[in-house]
Amino acid sequence: MIDHEHEQLVRELKGTLDRVLRERRPDGPWDTASRALKLCAQDTAEGLDGAASLVGGLSARDIGLLLATYTLRFHLVNKAEQLTIARINRERECRATPKHPRGESIAEAVHTLARAGLSRDEVMKVIAGLDVQPTLTAHPTEARRRTVLRKQQVLAELITRSQDDRATPLERDEVTERLEGMILAMMATDDVRAERLRVHEEVRNGLFFLAGSIWDTIPVLYRDIRLALREAFGPEGPGQETAPSLGLRYRSWIGGDRDGNPRVTPDVTRSTLETMRAEAVRKHGESLWVLRQHLSLSDRRVDVMPELRESIERDLVAFPDLVDTDTLHHLTHEPFRVKLHFMLGRLASITSDTPCYDTDLFIEDLDLLDRALRFAGLDQIADGYELSALRARACTFGLHLAALDVRQHSERHGQAIDEMLRLAGVEDGYNGLDEQRRITVLTHELRQPRPLLPVDIALGEVTQDAIDVFRVVREAFQRDRRSAGSVIVSMTHQVSDLLETLVLLKEAGLYRVDHSGAVESDVDLVPLFETIDDLERAPELLRELFADEAYRAQLGARGRLQEIMLGYSDSNKDGGYLMANWSLHRAQQRVAEVCREHEIDFRFFHGRGGTVGRGGGRANRAIQATPPGARSPRLRMTEQGEVISFRYALPAIARRHLEQILSALLVVNGERSHTPDDAPRQLESSTVELMDRLASVSMSRYRELVERDGFWDWYRAATPIEHISGLPIASRPVSRAGGVVGLTNLRAIPWVFAWTQVRANTPGWFGLGTALASEIDGGHLATLQGLYERWPFMQALIRNAELELVRTRPRLLSRYSALAPGCEHIESILTEEFERTRVAVMQVTGNKQLLADRPVILKTVADRNPAADVLNLLQIELMKRVRDGQIEQLGGEDSAKRLIYLSINGIAAAMQSTG
């Protein structure tokens, strides 16, 4: 990614920032900042000491100025990196040829499958079978405000214009002036929100990307598919389809994720659905108006397909309220525009109480226009951007933008069922029953056509809330079946957790059984396995679930498809890095085997975060590392917080992210379809035994840390976790039960966030070194090296940990540890394990330096360190003053809090990562 042009751009941006600051804020501590930066750049303990001394003498005002300055500095650098990625990909695309396509592109995937012997029809079948559903969540990992994101978007446009060699001197001056003005505006804009986000604001944040860069990117991916097929197999023959629909659709949890968030009420969920529906209508309406202007085709000049005329006649009869006599009079000989007139009118009805359109009908009308154009001999217009882009977006976004999932904790559903059964006189004390008795009671109720409760019965808050949200989902389904997503059950521990949810769905009308026992169900039910124990027990739990009569009926009603969600965050928090990764890998293989045993199709839903400790990393490499037996054309994954901001900041970056996922899935599933394997390859027993030993040793080492006396005292004092708990970056509380007392109630996101802030990145490597060293000392180094060379899972495991190790700064960790006197033994454990892991990883990779084979990343990290170190020293100074009671010297409690929040935002920008 780094090249001369990028380095020059970064220098220019930093120079512009420095010039603006010295001219407009000459009273700032810029000389002190420059000296501190140079000292940190020495990358020595002495240099850090000197920089810390300089920082220690700053006033609260100057600390605030430096925090704002360095945060903006990293925003500029981050934007430059994104633009460089986009530029280099564009340059690679220009150099690509049909025989040598750009790496990790859709064209390369299609070319690879063609070389492997797949025909055009076979490749088309693989494409048509894809089912990719990125899922936006509102998890609190985006520290930036939406207004800052918008300013950064403008900044990207200005930077791009500044690089245009064709610009005139006047245009260059204008861009420079606007760029300086934008920097000033960003300096004058609060990075930290005044109060915690409300859910409807999180919904708008999601729309910012869904209706922005993602909306712009989808037609490009469809075009990529068409061009790749033509380059690999030549032009389509007569009657051949240009390209199949790409199975890419978006989901959202924003406004539907209720787990631990009391602010997501049924009314909020209803409002979210309405907001997304209105935005989809607005965006499609804009595109239809453009198409209406474009398709000014006269029946006196082209042949009109009878089917188009018949469709217009039906519209005239069915929708008389949409007839505008004057408009139709002016369009007498323009049937395409007449059809679009009715489409616009029907589209507008979507947001009313009496909609007369849905996604399927909308796509049918777009397909009709496509066929009519081809009938008229206007294939080039049919293939043109306006209509093809509309259809691509209709297939992806429908008339709902993103299907809304509902998620809730299993305990909440259990509480509701306990009350419902008691009020119905079925069972008093349900929660006290053993598991088998619970299943018997629930299965009996699921056989009954009648509802469990009278409509007008008074219910407790938990029960009423649980039923009401599913009634909202039912309303959405009746409007447009694509707008309702899945129901996800957090902390699924046993079969009854899912049967309880089915009873609630039945009460809301989403699960129906008639007197003959036939079942209809409108939504998929998804267990979420999050802890190490749950991942271990998941295969047996699913085996029991698939044997249950009521749940078999649910599967039959849903096309025998089971979605299974895997939690990467809580499993890591529970068992540490290596154990979590191995448990997730094994769970996928074993769960897939159970599904195949019962002839059930499956889709894994990967609950990944942005950091390595929460399953982050390159999505395409994760796909390639999937166990062979668990591979599928179906894929869901969460896109969270700062990950959304980075992956979807620009259309070019969004395209790169999505094409890498689609490319990997095409190759993996294309090769699998071409060489079917009835018995997916199993790992050798010796490899499984080795990995089991490694995971067990690693988890023991990890639990030894988090259960060590004094650890939580150290963690609360040495990291900014308590300040993170108050950071107003999302509507959801950071703790499930209030307070920070241990692993159980602290959510995984703030857990990882705090480690990232102190530059320790512990969830991304701790325990790995002890585990590897135990096998290396036992004479198994060659075995580990062999696995690393040939096994994608081991490569991903080691390479991700290697990156986190390089980003770790032990010298800074020592300074944070000084904030927790009496807990020095915790720092010793961390630094010892860091060194052990660093050495062991290099032994396995065979390199003499971490990231030796990835020099670009190594240089990027090194270039960021000095300025990031200054931010850390500023944060440590603030935490020290707060600890020592120097609140008034920081301007009072509110000012102290704001300054620490600024430091958190700044370090998040420097690390391009939060949780």
Side-chain angles (χ1 to χ4, degrees), residues 809-838:
R809 303 285 282 168
R811 291 193 192 104
L812 283 170
L813 181 62
S814 176
R815 293 185 171 275
Y816 278 102
S817 290
L819 297 170
C823 300
E824 293 80 5
H825 59 294
I826 302 299
E827 181 195 348
S828 297
I829 293 172
L830 291 167
T831 53
E832 287 169 9
E833 185 64 20
F834 170 80
E835 184 60 22
R836 186 178 295 116
T837 307
R838 187 184 70 84

PDB file of all heavy atoms in Angstrom, residues 809-838:
ATOM      1  N   ARG A 809       2.862  -2.360  22.479  1.00  0.00           N
ATOM      2  CA  ARG A 809       3.952  -1.495  22.929  1.00  0.00           C
ATOM      3  C   ARG A 809       4.212  -1.742  24.412  1.00  0.00           C
ATOM      4  O   ARG A 809       3.641  -1.071  25.293  1.00  0.00           O
ATOM      5  CB  ARG A 809       3.585  -0.030  22.711  1.00  0.00           C
ATOM      6  CG  ARG A 809       3.227   0.325  21.276  1.00  0.00           C
ATOM      7  CD  ARG A 809       4.441   0.406  20.397  1.00  0.00           C
ATOM      8  NE  ARG A 809       5.172   1.642  20.575  1.00  0.00           N
ATOM      9  CZ  ARG A 809       6.388   1.866  20.087  1.00  0.00           C
ATOM     10  NH1 ARG A 809       7.022   0.915  19.430  1.00  0.00           N
ATOM     11  NH2 ARG A 809       6.981   3.030  20.271  1.00  0.00           N
ATOM     12  N   PRO A 810       5.103  -2.697  24.742  1.00  0.00           N
ATOM     13  CA  PRO A 810       5.358  -3.020  26.155  1.00  0.00           C
ATOM     14  C   PRO A 810       5.814  -1.816  26.980  1.00  0.00           C
ATOM     15  O   PRO A 810       5.473  -1.716  28.164  1.00  0.00           O
ATOM     16  CB  PRO A 810       6.451  -4.093  26.068  1.00  0.00           C
ATOM     17  CG  PRO A 810       6.274  -4.715  24.722  1.00  0.00           C
ATOM     18  CD  PRO A 810       5.848  -3.594  23.834  1.00  0.00           C
ATOM     19  N   ARG A 811       6.580  -0.906  26.390  1.00  0.00           N
ATOM     20  CA  ARG A 811       7.054   0.247  27.165  1.00  0.00           C
ATOM     21  C   ARG A 811       5.881   1.121  27.626  1.00  0.00           C
ATOM     22  O   ARG A 811       5.897   1.676  28.719  1.00  0.00           O
ATOM     23  CB  ARG A 811       8.014   1.091  26.332  1.00  0.00           C
ATOM     24  CG  ARG A 811       9.357   0.423  26.052  1.00  0.00           C
ATOM     25  CD  ARG A 811      10.368   1.432  25.513  1.00  0.00           C
ATOM     26  NE  ARG A 811      11.545   0.748  24.996  1.00  0.00           N
ATOM     27  CZ  ARG A 811      11.794   0.587  23.708  1.00  0.00           C
ATOM     28  NH1 ARG A 811      10.966   1.068  22.806  1.00  0.00           N
ATOM     29  NH2 ARG A 811      12.881  -0.057  23.306  1.00  0.00           N
ATOM     30  N   LEU A 812       4.886   1.250  26.772  1.00  0.00           N
ATOM     31  CA  LEU A 812       3.712   2.019  27.165  1.00  0.00           C
ATOM     32  C   LEU A 812       2.893   1.266  28.210  1.00  0.00           C
ATOM     33  O   LEU A 812       2.353   1.863  29.144  1.00  0.00           O
ATOM     34  CB  LEU A 812       2.841   2.326  25.940  1.00  0.00           C
ATOM     35  CG  LEU A 812       3.350   3.453  25.042  1.00  0.00           C
ATOM     36  CD1 LEU A 812       2.552   3.498  23.747  1.00  0.00           C
ATOM     37  CD2 LEU A 812       3.260   4.791  25.756  1.00  0.00           C
ATOM     38  N   LEU A 813       2.802  -0.047  28.048  1.00  0.00           N
ATOM     39  CA  LEU A 813       2.063  -0.856  29.017  1.00  0.00           C
ATOM     40  C   LEU A 813       2.650  -0.671  30.415  1.00  0.00           C
ATOM     41  O   LEU A 813       1.917  -0.601  31.406  1.00  0.00           O
ATOM     42  CB  LEU A 813       2.108  -2.329  28.604  1.00  0.00           C
ATOM     43  CG  LEU A 813       1.353  -3.293  29.522  1.00  0.00           C
ATOM     44  CD1 LEU A 813      -0.130  -2.963  29.556  1.00  0.00           C
ATOM     45  CD2 LEU A 813       1.575  -4.730  29.066  1.00  0.00           C
ATOM     46  N   SER A 814       3.965  -0.567  30.496  1.00  0.00           N
ATOM     47  CA  SER A 814       4.614  -0.362  31.786  1.00  0.00           C
ATOM     48  C   SER A 814       4.173   0.949  32.415  1.00  0.00           C
ATOM     49  O   SER A 814       3.975   1.036  33.634  1.00  0.00           O
ATOM     50  CB  SER A 814       6.139  -0.374  31.589  1.00  0.00           C
ATOM     51  OG  SER A 814       6.796  -0.086  32.798  1.00  0.00           O
ATOM     52  N   ARG A 815       3.975   1.971  31.595  1.00  0.00           N
ATOM     53  CA  ARG A 815       3.547   3.273  32.118  1.00  0.00           C
ATOM     54  C   ARG A 815       2.091   3.227  32.576  1.00  0.00           C
ATOM     55  O   ARG A 815       1.724   3.858  33.565  1.00  0.00           O
ATOM     56  CB  ARG A 815       3.753   4.359  31.066  1.00  0.00           C
ATOM     57  CG  ARG A 815       5.218   4.597  30.792  1.00  0.00           C
ATOM     58  CD  ARG A 815       5.467   5.756  29.836  1.00  0.00           C
ATOM     59  NE  ARG A 815       6.906   6.023  29.827  1.00  0.00           N
ATOM     60  CZ  ARG A 815       7.532   6.790  30.694  1.00  0.00           C
ATOM     61  NH1 ARG A 815       6.848   7.382  31.652  1.00  0.00           N
ATOM     62  NH2 ARG A 815       8.830   6.976  30.618  1.00  0.00           N
ATOM     63  N   TYR A 816       1.273   2.518  31.844  1.00  0.00           N
ATOM     64  CA  TYR A 816      -0.117   2.352  32.297  1.00  0.00           C
ATOM     65  C   TYR A 816      -0.154   1.551  33.603  1.00  0.00           C
ATOM     66  O   TYR A 816      -0.946   1.845  34.506  1.00  0.00           O
ATOM     67  CB  TYR A 816      -0.952   1.647  31.233  1.00  0.00           C
ATOM     68  CG  TYR A 816      -1.456   2.551  30.127  1.00  0.00           C
ATOM     69  CD1 TYR A 816      -0.841   2.581  28.880  1.00  0.00           C
ATOM     70  CD2 TYR A 816      -2.556   3.376  30.334  1.00  0.00           C
ATOM     71  CE1 TYR A 816      -1.310   3.411  27.864  1.00  0.00           C
ATOM     72  CE2 TYR A 816      -3.034   4.210  29.322  1.00  0.00           C
ATOM     73  CZ  TYR A 816      -2.403   4.218  28.093  1.00  0.00           C
ATOM     74  OH  TYR A 816      -2.869   5.041  27.083  1.00  0.00           O
ATOM     75  N   SER A 817       0.699   0.547  33.711  1.00  0.00           N
ATOM     76  CA  SER A 817       0.723  -0.287  34.914  1.00  0.00           C
ATOM     77  C   SER A 817       1.096   0.518  36.151  1.00  0.00           C
ATOM     78  O   SER A 817       0.677   0.191  37.263  1.00  0.00           O
ATOM     79  CB  SER A 817       1.713  -1.443  34.737  1.00  0.00           C
ATOM     80  OG  SER A 817       1.233  -2.374  33.797  1.00  0.00           O
ATOM     81  N   ALA A 818       1.866   1.572  35.956  1.00  0.00           N
ATOM     82  CA  ALA A 818       2.248   2.411  37.093  1.00  0.00           C
ATOM     83  C   ALA A 818       1.044   3.092  37.733  1.00  0.00           C
ATOM     84  O   ALA A 818       1.117   3.573  38.860  1.00  0.00           O
ATOM     85  CB  ALA A 818       3.266   3.456  36.639  1.00  0.00           C
ATOM     86  N   LEU A 819      -0.069   3.127  37.017  1.00  0.00           N
ATOM     87  CA  LEU A 819      -1.300   3.693  37.572  1.00  0.00           C
ATOM     88  C   LEU A 819      -1.963   2.746  38.557  1.00  0.00           C
ATOM     89  O   LEU A 819      -2.943   3.121  39.212  1.00  0.00           O
ATOM     90  CB  LEU A 819      -2.287   4.022  36.438  1.00  0.00           C
ATOM     91  CG  LEU A 819      -1.837   5.082  35.425  1.00  0.00           C
ATOM     92  CD1 LEU A 819      -2.801   5.121  34.244  1.00  0.00           C
ATOM     93  CD2 LEU A 819      -1.758   6.453  36.096  1.00  0.00           C
ATOM     94  N   ALA A 820      -1.469   1.516  38.634  1.00  0.00           N
ATOM     95  CA  ALA A 820      -2.045   0.510  39.535  1.00  0.00           C
ATOM     96  C   ALA A 820      -0.974  -0.013  40.479  1.00  0.00           C
ATOM     97  O   ALA A 820      -0.518  -1.163  40.356  1.00  0.00           O
ATOM     98  CB  ALA A 820      -2.641  -0.645  38.717  1.00  0.00           C
ATOM     99  N   PRO A 821      -0.540   0.793  41.435  1.00  0.00           N
ATOM    100  CA  PRO A 821       0.513   0.353  42.366  1.00  0.00           C
ATOM    101  C   PRO A 821       0.059  -0.860  43.163  1.00  0.00           C
ATOM    102  O   PRO A 821      -1.113  -1.002  43.516  1.00  0.00           O
ATOM    103  CB  PRO A 821       0.709   1.581  43.266  1.00  0.00           C
ATOM    104  CG  PRO A 821      -0.543   2.376  43.135  1.00  0.00           C
ATOM    105  CD  PRO A 821      -1.039   2.154  41.745  1.00  0.00           C
ATOM    106  N   GLY A 822       1.014  -1.749  43.407  1.00  0.00           N
ATOM    107  CA  GLY A 822       0.692  -2.968  44.141  1.00  0.00           C
ATOM    108  C   GLY A 822       0.285  -4.116  43.248  1.00  0.00           C
ATOM    109  O   GLY A 822       0.045  -5.228  43.727  1.00  0.00           O
ATOM    110  N   CYS A 823       0.185  -3.858  41.946  1.00  0.00           N
ATOM    111  CA  CYS A 823      -0.236  -4.919  41.004  1.00  0.00           C
ATOM    112  C   CYS A 823       0.861  -5.190  39.969  1.00  0.00           C
ATOM    113  O   CYS A 823       0.568  -5.557  38.827  1.00  0.00           O
ATOM    114  CB  CYS A 823      -1.524  -4.514  40.300  1.00  0.00           C
ATOM    115  SG  CYS A 823      -2.924  -4.222  41.390  1.00  0.00           S
ATOM    116  N   GLU A 824       2.114  -4.984  40.354  1.00  0.00           N
ATOM    117  CA  GLU A 824       3.228  -5.133  39.409  1.00  0.00           C
ATOM    118  C   GLU A 824       3.303  -6.545  38.828  1.00  0.00           C
ATOM    119  O   GLU A 824       3.784  -6.740  37.702  1.00  0.00           O
ATOM    120  CB  GLU A 824       4.556  -4.790  40.100  1.00  0.00           C
ATOM    121  CG  GLU A 824       4.710  -3.322  40.495  1.00  0.00           C
ATOM    122  CD  GLU A 824       3.988  -2.961  41.788  1.00  0.00           C
ATOM    123  OE1 GLU A 824       3.442  -3.883  42.439  1.00  0.00           O
ATOM    124  OE2 GLU A 824       3.961  -1.766  42.133  1.00  0.00           O
ATOM    125  N   HIS A 825       2.800  -7.534  39.583  1.00  0.00           N
ATOM    126  CA  HIS A 825       2.888  -8.918  39.105  1.00  0.00           C
ATOM    127  C   HIS A 825       2.039  -9.119  37.849  1.00  0.00           C
ATOM    128  O   HIS A 825       2.340  -9.992  37.026  1.00  0.00           O
ATOM    129  CB  HIS A 825       2.446  -9.890  40.201  1.00  0.00           C
ATOM    130  CG  HIS A 825       1.050  -9.673  40.684  1.00  0.00           C
ATOM    131  ND1 HIS A 825       0.642  -8.541  41.353  1.00  0.00           N
ATOM    132  CD2 HIS A 825      -0.051 -10.468  40.602  1.00  0.00           C
ATOM    133  CE1 HIS A 825      -0.645  -8.629  41.665  1.00  0.00           C
ATOM    134  NE2 HIS A 825      -1.088  -9.795  41.218  1.00  0.00           N
ATOM    135  N   ILE A 826       1.003  -8.330  37.670  1.00  0.00           N
ATOM    136  CA  ILE A 826       0.174  -8.457  36.466  1.00  0.00           C
ATOM    137  C   ILE A 826       0.956  -8.000  35.239  1.00  0.00           C
ATOM    138  O   ILE A 826       0.951  -8.661  34.190  1.00  0.00           O
ATOM    139  CB  ILE A 826      -1.130  -7.645  36.609  1.00  0.00           C
ATOM    140  CG1 ILE A 826      -1.926  -8.112  37.838  1.00  0.00           C
ATOM    141  CG2 ILE A 826      -1.971  -7.753  35.342  1.00  0.00           C
ATOM    142  CD1 ILE A 826      -2.354  -9.567  37.783  1.00  0.00           C
ATOM    143  N   GLU A 827       1.653  -6.875  35.390  1.00  0.00           N
ATOM    144  CA  GLU A 827       2.484  -6.411  34.277  1.00  0.00           C
ATOM    145  C   GLU A 827       3.551  -7.445  33.930  1.00  0.00           C
ATOM    146  O   GLU A 827       3.829  -7.692  32.747  1.00  0.00           O
ATOM    147  CB  GLU A 827       3.146  -5.083  34.628  1.00  0.00           C
ATOM    148  CG  GLU A 827       4.006  -4.539  33.482  1.00  0.00           C
ATOM    149  CD  GLU A 827       4.957  -3.442  33.914  1.00  0.00           C
ATOM    150  OE1 GLU A 827       4.805  -2.924  35.043  1.00  0.00           O
ATOM    151  OE2 GLU A 827       5.861  -3.105  33.127  1.00  0.00           O
ATOM    152  N   SER A 828       4.128  -8.069  34.944  1.00  0.00           N
ATOM    153  CA  SER A 828       5.163  -9.084  34.689  1.00  0.00           C
ATOM    154  C   SER A 828       4.605 -10.245  33.886  1.00  0.00           C
ATOM    155  O   SER A 828       5.245 -10.745  32.955  1.00  0.00           O
ATOM    156  CB  SER A 828       5.731  -9.586  36.018  1.00  0.00           C
ATOM    157  OG  SER A 828       6.368  -8.541  36.724  1.00  0.00           O
ATOM    158  N   ILE A 829       3.397 -10.689  34.236  1.00  0.00           N
ATOM    159  CA  ILE A 829       2.770 -11.797  33.499  1.00  0.00           C
ATOM    160  C   ILE A 829       2.571 -11.406  32.040  1.00  0.00           C
ATOM    161  O   ILE A 829       2.855 -12.186  31.118  1.00  0.00           O
ATOM    162  CB  ILE A 829       1.422 -12.175  34.150  1.00  0.00           C
ATOM    163  CG1 ILE A 829       1.648 -12.771  35.535  1.00  0.00           C
ATOM    164  CG2 ILE A 829       0.656 -13.159  33.272  1.00  0.00           C
ATOM    165  CD1 ILE A 829       0.360 -12.993  36.322  1.00  0.00           C
ATOM    166  N   LEU A 830       2.083 -10.204  31.819  1.00  0.00           N
ATOM    167  CA  LEU A 830       1.810  -9.743  30.458  1.00  0.00           C
ATOM    168  C   LEU A 830       3.093  -9.626  29.635  1.00  0.00           C
ATOM    169  O   LEU A 830       3.140 -10.085  28.484  1.00  0.00           O
ATOM    170  CB  LEU A 830       1.087  -8.390  30.502  1.00  0.00           C
ATOM    171  CG  LEU A 830      -0.352  -8.412  31.041  1.00  0.00           C
ATOM    172  CD1 LEU A 830      -0.831  -6.992  31.326  1.00  0.00           C
ATOM    173  CD2 LEU A 830      -1.276  -9.092  30.038  1.00  0.00           C
ATOM    174  N   THR A 831       4.120  -9.026  30.194  1.00  0.00           N
ATOM    175  CA  THR A 831       5.358  -8.832  29.428  1.00  0.00           C
ATOM    176  C   THR A 831       6.087 -10.150  29.188  1.00  0.00           C
ATOM    177  O   THR A 831       6.676 -10.355  28.122  1.00  0.00           O
ATOM    178  CB  THR A 831       6.290  -7.836  30.150  1.00  0.00           C
ATOM    179  OG1 THR A 831       6.501  -8.257  31.503  1.00  0.00           O
ATOM    180  CG2 THR A 831       5.679  -6.445  30.156  1.00  0.00           C
ATOM    181  N   GLU A 832       6.035 -11.045  30.164  1.00  0.00           N
ATOM    182  CA  GLU A 832       6.654 -12.359  29.973  1.00  0.00           C
ATOM    183  C   GLU A 832       5.960 -13.127  28.857  1.00  0.00           C
ATOM    184  O   GLU A 832       6.616 -13.748  28.005  1.00  0.00           O
ATOM    185  CB  GLU A 832       6.591 -13.168  31.280  1.00  0.00           C
ATOM    186  CG  GLU A 832       7.547 -12.686  32.369  1.00  0.00           C
ATOM    187  CD  GLU A 832       7.259 -13.349  33.707  1.00  0.00           C
ATOM    188  OE1 GLU A 832       6.439 -14.295  33.737  1.00  0.00           O
ATOM    189  OE2 GLU A 832       7.843 -12.910  34.722  1.00  0.00           O
ATOM    190  N   GLU A 833       4.622 -13.096  28.866  1.00  0.00           N
ATOM    191  CA  GLU A 833       3.884 -13.830  27.831  1.00  0.00           C
ATOM    192  C   GLU A 833       4.072 -13.182  26.469  1.00  0.00           C
ATOM    193  O   GLU A 833       4.126 -13.882  25.445  1.00  0.00           O
ATOM    194  CB  GLU A 833       2.395 -13.895  28.182  1.00  0.00           C
ATOM    195  CG  GLU A 833       1.558 -14.733  27.227  1.00  0.00           C
ATOM    196  CD  GLU A 833       1.937 -16.205  27.228  1.00  0.00           C
ATOM    197  OE1 GLU A 833       2.565 -16.676  28.217  1.00  0.00           O
ATOM    198  OE2 GLU A 833       1.608 -16.908  26.248  1.00  0.00           O
ATOM    199  N   PHE A 834       4.186 -11.867  26.444  1.00  0.00           N
ATOM    200  CA  PHE A 834       4.434 -11.180  25.179  1.00  0.00           C
ATOM    201  C   PHE A 834       5.746 -11.657  24.566  1.00  0.00           C
ATOM    202  O   PHE A 834       5.806 -12.003  23.384  1.00  0.00           O
ATOM    203  CB  PHE A 834       4.483  -9.664  25.396  1.00  0.00           C
ATOM    204  CG  PHE A 834       4.971  -8.901  24.193  1.00  0.00           C
ATOM    205  CD1 PHE A 834       4.126  -8.621  23.139  1.00  0.00           C
ATOM    206  CD2 PHE A 834       6.301  -8.482  24.111  1.00  0.00           C
ATOM    207  CE1 PHE A 834       4.582  -7.926  22.022  1.00  0.00           C
ATOM    208  CE2 PHE A 834       6.769  -7.795  23.003  1.00  0.00           C
ATOM    209  CZ  PHE A 834       5.903  -7.515  21.953  1.00  0.00           C
ATOM    210  N   GLU A 835       6.810 -11.665  25.366  1.00  0.00           N
ATOM    211  CA  GLU A 835       8.108 -12.070  24.843  1.00  0.00           C
ATOM    212  C   GLU A 835       8.100 -13.544  24.437  1.00  0.00           C
ATOM    213  O   GLU A 835       8.655 -13.914  23.395  1.00  0.00           O
ATOM    214  CB  GLU A 835       9.190 -11.807  25.893  1.00  0.00           C
ATOM    215  CG  GLU A 835      10.615 -12.102  25.415  1.00  0.00           C
ATOM    216  CD  GLU A 835      11.019 -11.266  24.226  1.00  0.00           C
ATOM    217  OE1 GLU A 835      10.423 -10.181  24.004  1.00  0.00           O
ATOM    218  OE2 GLU A 835      11.936 -11.701  23.483  1.00  0.00           O
ATOM    219  N   ARG A 836       7.456 -14.368  25.234  1.00  0.00           N
ATOM    220  CA  ARG A 836       7.364 -15.797  24.907  1.00  0.00           C
ATOM    221  C   ARG A 836       6.613 -15.999  23.583  1.00  0.00           C
ATOM    222  O   ARG A 836       7.003 -16.810  22.737  1.00  0.00           O
ATOM    223  CB  ARG A 836       6.659 -16.533  26.047  1.00  0.00           C
ATOM    224  CG  ARG A 836       6.639 -18.054  25.885  1.00  0.00           C
ATOM    225  CD  ARG A 836       5.962 -18.717  27.072  1.00  0.00           C
ATOM    226  NE  ARG A 836       6.716 -18.524  28.312  1.00  0.00           N
ATOM    227  CZ  ARG A 836       6.270 -17.852  29.364  1.00  0.00           C
ATOM    228  NH1 ARG A 836       5.060 -17.300  29.333  1.00  0.00           N
ATOM    229  NH2 ARG A 836       7.012 -17.715  30.448  1.00  0.00           N
ATOM    230  N   THR A 837       5.541 -15.256  23.393  1.00  0.00           N
ATOM    231  CA  THR A 837       4.740 -15.390  22.173  1.00  0.00           C
ATOM    232  C   THR A 837       5.499 -14.858  20.971  1.00  0.00           C
ATOM    233  O   THR A 837       5.480 -15.461  19.890  1.00  0.00           O
ATOM    234  CB  THR A 837       3.403 -14.638  22.324  1.00  0.00           C
ATOM    235  OG1 THR A 837       2.745 -15.068  23.513  1.00  0.00           O
ATOM    236  CG2 THR A 837       2.488 -14.898  21.135  1.00  0.00           C
ATOM    237  N   ARG A 838       6.183 -13.751  21.146  1.00  0.00           N
ATOM    238  CA  ARG A 838       6.964 -13.169  20.051  1.00  0.00           C
ATOM    239  C   ARG A 838       8.006 -14.157  19.536  1.00  0.00           C
ATOM    240  O   ARG A 838       8.119 -14.383  18.325  1.00  0.00           O
ATOM    241  CB  ARG A 838       7.648 -11.885  20.544  1.00  0.00           C
ATOM    242  CG  ARG A 838       8.355 -11.080  19.463  1.00  0.00           C
ATOM    243  CD  ARG A 838       9.094  -9.884  20.068  1.00  0.00           C
ATOM    244  NE  ARG A 838      10.248 -10.320  20.858  1.00  0.00           N
ATOM    245  CZ  ARG A 838      11.441 -10.586  20.332  1.00  0.00           C
ATOM    246  NH1 ARG A 838      11.648 -10.468  19.022  1.00  0.00           N
ATOM    247  NH2 ARG A 838      12.446 -10.963  21.100  1.00  0.00           N
TER     248      ARG A 838
END
